[in-house]
Amino acid sequence: MTTPPSPKSPADETPPPVGRLVHEALSKSSVLWVGVTPAEAVAAWFAYHDEQVLLVTGPGEQPLPFLGDEASIVLRGKDSRARLAVLPCAVRVLPVDDPAWPEAAAALAAERLNADVLPAELPRRWADTGVTVLALAPDLERADVTVADTTGGHAPPRGRSLT
């Protein structure tokens, strides 16, 4: 007769590697908070593509603060809404003539909700209206990861609502 394994306590569990936690959070969510600092972060919809966070801002799109060369993103748990991580990111503006722009715009268009045109038409409209497409590369080495409990954890930073 074998003895059943004893239940593990939360302290016995090893937290997931940072990269996997961040990848899962970015893959499952459609909203994050972005700003120059975590305290100044505002809610934004995004696309996650090729390990980069893609954002679009400008005429007819979400208003975002100027981010400069570096920004912070705050990720939350989809179910618990608890803060999971704060990630410093290198910020790069993708001009329309950048080779990465078409693929980034297509990824963003696929995630854009409630557009007044078809997703396939969004990249052309964005190119014509001069919106800004941003590619943020998270720095996992400097990530501040919170292993939050599902009964509360940390609330997302205060910021502008998307509605």
Side-chain angles (χ1 to χ4, degrees):
M1 182 162 123
T2 59
T3 308
S6 61
K8 290 185 177 181
S9 74
D12 294 336
E13 294 181 18
T14 306
V18 173
R20 188 176 73 202
L21 175 83
V22 168
H23 174 76
E24 287 177 13
L26 289 168
S27 297
K28 292 180 179 180
S29 185
S30 58
V31 176
L32 53 68
W33 283 261
V34 62
V36 174
T37 68
E40 299 168 335
V42 298
W45 67 270
F46 70 99
Y48 182 55
H49 183 69
D50 286 343
E51 298 183 14
Q52 293 187 86
V53 172
L54 302 172
L55 299 164
V56 62
T57 185
E61 296 301 331
Q62 63 191 343
L64 295 175
F66 176 76
L67 298 176
D69 294 334
E70 221 181 82
S72 291
I73 59 174
V74 179
L75 304 177
R76 63 167 175 78
K78 188 165 178 101
D79 296 328
S80 68
R81 300 184 54 89
R83 186 183 80 172
L84 295 177
V86 176
L87 301 166
C89 299
V91 177
R92 185 167 74 104
V93 174
L94 296 179
V96 177
D97 60 354
D98 188 298
W101 194 93
E103 200 170 325
L108 283 161
E111 296 297 323
R112 175 68 160 86
L113 300 176
N114 303 320
D116 59 357
V117 298
L118 295 172
E121 296 173 17
L122 282 170
R124 181 175 174 185
R125 182 170 80 181
W126 289 336
D128 291 345
T129 59
V131 301
T132 302
V133 173
L134 301 168
L136 281 66
D139 182 348
L140 300 179
E141 297 286 320
R142 298 188 304 149
D144 176 11
V145 177
T146 302
V147 180
D149 66 43
T150 57
T151 60
H154 300 281
R158 292 184 193 160
R160 253 180 315 165
S161 170
L162 287 178
T163 57

mmCIF file of all heavy atoms in Angstrom, residues 94-116:
data_model
loop_
_atom_site.group_PDB
_atom_site.id
_atom_site.type_symbol
_atom_site.label_atom_id
_atom_site.label_comp_id
_atom_site.label_asym_id
_atom_site.label_seq_id
_atom_site.Cartn_x
_atom_site.Cartn_y
_atom_site.Cartn_z
ATOM 1 N N LEU A 94 8.187 52.595 -34.314
ATOM 2 C CA LEU A 94 8.307 51.940 -35.611
ATOM 3 C C LEU A 94 7.719 52.858 -36.682
ATOM 4 O O LEU A 94 6.501 52.963 -36.808
ATOM 5 C CB LEU A 94 7.555 50.604 -35.625
ATOM 6 C CG LEU A 94 8.058 49.515 -34.694
ATOM 7 C CD1 LEU A 94 7.183 48.275 -34.818
ATOM 8 C CD2 LEU A 94 9.508 49.183 -34.990
ATOM 9 N N PRO A 95 8.550 53.525 -37.471
ATOM 10 C CA PRO A 95 8.015 54.337 -38.562
ATOM 11 C C PRO A 95 7.431 53.423 -39.649
ATOM 12 O O PRO A 95 7.788 52.244 -39.736
ATOM 13 C CB PRO A 95 9.219 55.115 -39.081
ATOM 14 C CG PRO A 95 10.416 54.471 -38.510
ATOM 15 C CD PRO A 95 9.997 53.612 -37.363
ATOM 16 N N VAL A 96 6.559 53.970 -40.472
ATOM 17 C CA VAL A 96 5.884 53.193 -41.511
ATOM 18 C C VAL A 96 6.885 52.509 -42.445
ATOM 19 O O VAL A 96 6.635 51.399 -42.915
ATOM 20 C CB VAL A 96 4.915 54.098 -42.307
ATOM 21 C CG1 VAL A 96 4.268 53.338 -43.442
ATOM 22 C CG2 VAL A 96 3.857 54.663 -41.390
ATOM 23 N N ASP A 97 8.037 53.111 -42.677
ATOM 24 C CA ASP A 97 9.007 52.505 -43.597
ATOM 25 C C ASP A 97 9.940 51.502 -42.920
ATOM 26 O O ASP A 97 10.821 50.940 -43.557
ATOM 27 C CB ASP A 97 9.814 53.586 -44.322
ATOM 28 C CG ASP A 97 10.595 54.488 -43.375
ATOM 29 O OD1 ASP A 97 10.429 54.361 -42.132
ATOM 30 O OD2 ASP A 97 11.362 55.324 -43.871
ATOM 31 N N ASP A 98 9.740 51.250 -41.630
ATOM 32 C CA ASP A 98 10.540 50.243 -40.926
ATOM 33 C C ASP A 98 10.111 48.856 -41.400
ATOM 34 O O ASP A 98 8.912 48.588 -41.513
ATOM 35 C CB ASP A 98 10.306 50.383 -39.415
ATOM 36 C CG ASP A 98 11.238 49.514 -38.590
ATOM 37 O OD1 ASP A 98 11.163 48.273 -38.735
ATOM 38 O OD2 ASP A 98 12.000 50.060 -37.792
ATOM 39 N N PRO A 99 11.034 47.957 -41.673
ATOM 40 C CA PRO A 99 10.661 46.608 -42.124
ATOM 41 C C PRO A 99 9.757 45.865 -41.134
ATOM 42 O O PRO A 99 8.993 44.993 -41.541
ATOM 43 C CB PRO A 99 12.003 45.888 -42.277
ATOM 44 C CG PRO A 99 13.024 46.960 -42.406
ATOM 45 C CD PRO A 99 12.484 48.157 -41.659
ATOM 46 N N ALA A 100 9.815 46.206 -39.850
ATOM 47 C CA ALA A 100 8.984 45.536 -38.844
ATOM 48 C C ALA A 100 7.568 46.112 -38.775
ATOM 49 O O ALA A 100 6.684 45.509 -38.168
ATOM 50 C CB ALA A 100 9.651 45.644 -37.474
ATOM 51 N N TRP A 101 7.342 47.285 -39.395
ATOM 52 C CA TRP A 101 6.046 47.959 -39.257
ATOM 53 C C TRP A 101 4.873 47.139 -39.803
ATOM 54 O O TRP A 101 3.864 47.012 -39.107
ATOM 55 C CB TRP A 101 6.079 49.341 -39.916
ATOM 56 C CG TRP A 101 4.922 50.197 -39.524
ATOM 57 C CD1 TRP A 101 4.887 51.089 -38.495
ATOM 58 C CD2 TRP A 101 3.624 50.248 -40.133
ATOM 59 N NE1 TRP A 101 3.660 51.691 -38.422
ATOM 60 C CE2 TRP A 101 2.853 51.187 -39.417
ATOM 61 C CE3 TRP A 101 3.036 49.599 -41.194
ATOM 62 C CZ2 TRP A 101 1.543 51.496 -39.733
ATOM 63 C CZ3 TRP A 101 1.716 49.896 -41.516
ATOM 64 C CH2 TRP A 101 0.985 50.833 -40.792
ATOM 65 N N PRO A 102 4.926 46.574 -41.004
ATOM 66 C CA PRO A 102 3.750 45.851 -41.522
ATOM 67 C C PRO A 102 3.301 44.698 -40.618
ATOM 68 O O PRO A 102 2.107 44.532 -40.355
ATOM 69 C CB PRO A 102 4.204 45.332 -42.891
ATOM 70 C CG PRO A 102 5.303 46.248 -43.294
ATOM 71 C CD PRO A 102 5.987 46.628 -42.012
ATOM 72 N N GLU A 103 4.260 43.928 -40.122
ATOM 73 C CA GLU A 103 3.909 42.804 -39.251
ATOM 74 C C GLU A 103 3.373 43.295 -37.905
ATOM 75 O O GLU A 103 2.420 42.742 -37.363
ATOM 76 C CB GLU A 103 5.137 41.909 -39.058
ATOM 77 C CG GLU A 103 4.777 40.524 -38.596
ATOM 78 C CD GLU A 103 5.966 39.578 -38.633
ATOM 79 O OE1 GLU A 103 6.820 39.690 -39.536
ATOM 80 O OE2 GLU A 103 6.018 38.712 -37.747
ATOM 81 N N ALA A 104 3.975 44.346 -37.363
ATOM 82 C CA ALA A 104 3.508 44.918 -36.098
ATOM 83 C C ALA A 104 2.100 45.489 -36.259
ATOM 84 O O ALA A 104 1.225 45.265 -35.415
ATOM 85 C CB ALA A 104 4.470 45.999 -35.604
ATOM 86 N N ALA A 105 1.870 46.216 -37.341
ATOM 87 C CA ALA A 105 0.544 46.794 -37.589
ATOM 88 C C ALA A 105 -0.503 45.702 -37.769
ATOM 89 O O ALA A 105 -1.635 45.828 -37.282
ATOM 90 C CB ALA A 105 0.589 47.717 -38.798
ATOM 91 N N ALA A 106 -0.150 44.632 -38.454
ATOM 92 C CA ALA A 106 -1.098 43.523 -38.638
ATOM 93 C C ALA A 106 -1.428 42.859 -37.302
ATOM 94 O O ALA A 106 -2.595 42.532 -37.036
ATOM 95 C CB ALA A 106 -0.529 42.504 -39.613
ATOM 96 N N ALA A 107 -0.429 42.691 -36.439
ATOM 97 C CA ALA A 107 -0.674 42.101 -35.112
ATOM 98 C C ALA A 107 -1.571 43.008 -34.283
ATOM 99 O O ALA A 107 -2.492 42.535 -33.598
ATOM 100 C CB ALA A 107 0.656 41.850 -34.396
ATOM 101 N N LEU A 108 -1.327 44.314 -34.344
ATOM 102 C CA LEU A 108 -2.168 45.262 -33.615
ATOM 103 C C LEU A 108 -3.595 45.275 -34.169
ATOM 104 O O LEU A 108 -4.561 45.289 -33.408
ATOM 105 C CB LEU A 108 -1.566 46.669 -33.676
ATOM 106 C CG LEU A 108 -0.390 46.916 -32.746
ATOM 107 C CD1 LEU A 108 0.412 48.127 -33.206
ATOM 108 C CD2 LEU A 108 -0.873 47.080 -31.313
ATOM 109 N N ALA A 109 -3.731 45.258 -35.475
ATOM 110 C CA ALA A 109 -5.056 45.278 -36.097
ATOM 111 C C ALA A 109 -5.875 44.061 -35.678
ATOM 112 O O ALA A 109 -7.090 44.162 -35.463
ATOM 113 C CB ALA A 109 -4.932 45.338 -37.615
ATOM 114 N N ALA A 110 -5.222 42.927 -35.534
ATOM 115 C CA ALA A 110 -5.927 41.706 -35.127
ATOM 116 C C ALA A 110 -6.453 41.801 -33.693
ATOM 117 O O ALA A 110 -7.445 41.166 -33.348
ATOM 118 C CB ALA A 110 -4.996 40.505 -35.266
ATOM 119 N N GLU A 111 -5.806 42.631 -32.867
ATOM 120 C CA GLU A 111 -6.226 42.780 -31.466
ATOM 121 C C GLU A 111 -7.172 43.961 -31.245
ATOM 122 O O GLU A 111 -7.780 44.075 -30.190
ATOM 123 C CB GLU A 111 -5.001 42.964 -30.567
ATOM 124 C CG GLU A 111 -4.077 41.768 -30.547
ATOM 125 C CD GLU A 111 -4.735 40.517 -29.981
ATOM 126 O OE1 GLU A 111 -5.529 40.618 -29.029
ATOM 127 O OE2 GLU A 111 -4.442 39.426 -30.497
ATOM 128 N N ARG A 112 -7.289 44.841 -32.212
ATOM 129 C CA ARG A 112 -8.088 46.066 -32.070
ATOM 130 C C ARG A 112 -9.565 45.725 -32.017
ATOM 131 O O ARG A 112 -10.107 45.108 -32.923
ATOM 132 C CB ARG A 112 -7.791 47.004 -33.244
ATOM 133 C CG ARG A 112 -8.623 48.265 -33.307
ATOM 134 C CD ARG A 112 -8.278 49.202 -32.172
ATOM 135 N NE ARG A 112 -8.685 50.555 -32.439
ATOM 136 C CZ ARG A 112 -9.916 51.038 -32.181
ATOM 137 N NH1 ARG A 112 -10.846 50.268 -31.691
ATOM 138 N NH2 ARG A 112 -10.183 52.298 -32.438
ATOM 139 N N LEU A 113 -10.228 46.127 -30.953
ATOM 140 C CA LEU A 113 -11.661 45.903 -30.793
ATOM 141 C C LEU A 113 -12.433 47.143 -31.210
ATOM 142 O O LEU A 113 -11.951 48.269 -31.074
ATOM 143 C CB LEU A 113 -11.989 45.563 -29.335
ATOM 144 C CG LEU A 113 -11.335 44.320 -28.755
ATOM 145 C CD1 LEU A 113 -11.689 44.179 -27.285
ATOM 146 C CD2 LEU A 113 -11.732 43.081 -29.535
ATOM 147 N N ASN A 114 -13.625 46.942 -31.701
ATOM 148 C CA ASN A 114 -14.565 48.024 -31.997
ATOM 149 C C ASN A 114 -14.057 49.052 -32.999
ATOM 150 O O ASN A 114 -14.410 50.226 -32.926
ATOM 151 C CB ASN A 114 -14.991 48.738 -30.709
ATOM 152 C CG ASN A 114 -15.609 47.795 -29.711
ATOM 153 O OD1 ASN A 114 -16.370 46.902 -30.088
ATOM 154 N ND2 ASN A 114 -15.280 47.955 -28.448
ATOM 155 N N ALA A 115 -13.254 48.616 -33.926
ATOM 156 C CA ALA A 115 -12.805 49.535 -34.979
ATOM 157 C C ALA A 115 -13.963 49.776 -35.943
ATOM 158 O O ALA A 115 -14.817 48.918 -36.126
ATOM 159 C CB ALA A 115 -11.616 48.944 -35.730
ATOM 160 N N ASP A 116 -13.985 50.951 -36.549
ATOM 161 C CA ASP A 116 -15.061 51.269 -37.492
ATOM 162 C C ASP A 116 -14.736 50.811 -38.919
ATOM 163 O O ASP A 116 -15.479 51.086 -39.848
ATOM 164 C CB ASP A 116 -15.409 52.756 -37.454
ATOM 165 C CG ASP A 116 -14.219 53.638 -37.782
ATOM 166 O OD1 ASP A 116 -13.117 53.109 -37.988
ATOM 167 O OD2 ASP A 116 -14.407 54.859 -37.842
#
